[in-house]
Amino acid sequence: MVRSPVHDSTREACLSLDGVSRPEALDCVVSAVVTAVTARRAPRDVATTRRGRAEMALARHAPSLADRVVRRTVAARVTAGAFAKAPLAEGLRRRHGRAD
């Protein structure tokens, strides 16, 4: 995720990915894109950071573990009230016992 105005609407709807996705530096993203488009062979996956490479590897090689990590992160955000004001997240809150 790159911080940009494209995320303003989700923030306004109280559905922000803040706390779930870590923002990445624009220069790292641009560098990754340039590297990918100028590669002799198109790379399968392109990450912009070391952490991103690790996350992609985890998702590819241990998908059930990646799923548990994501579920736990989302559950923690729901418990913290991150989506309490978002009408679109009603079902998510209900599934986590937080039908506030």
Side-chain angles (χ1 to χ4, degrees), residues 7-85:
H7 299 288
D8 292 348
S9 62
T10 55
R11 233 176 246 108
E12 289 167 10
C14 301
L15 296 169
S16 172
L17 291 176
D18 295 338
V20 176
S21 256
R22 293 181 184 218
E24 298 185 5
L26 184 58
D27 60 329
C28 292
V29 174
V30 170
S31 176
V33 169
V34 169
T35 300
V37 299
T38 59
R40 196 167 186 86
R41 288 186 54 199
R44 179 174 175 170
D45 293 315
V46 178
T48 58
T49 62
R50 249 185 273 157
R51 178 186 171 96
R53 281 189 293 281
E55 289 170 345
M56 277 197 278
L58 177 68
R60 177 177 291 134
H61 300 293
S64 61
L65 177 59
D67 181 59
R68 286 196 308 264
V69 169
V70 170
R71 286 175 183 267
R72 199 159 95 194
T73 302
V74 170
R77 298 254 320 169
V78 171
T79 299
F83 308 112
K85 296 179 182 175

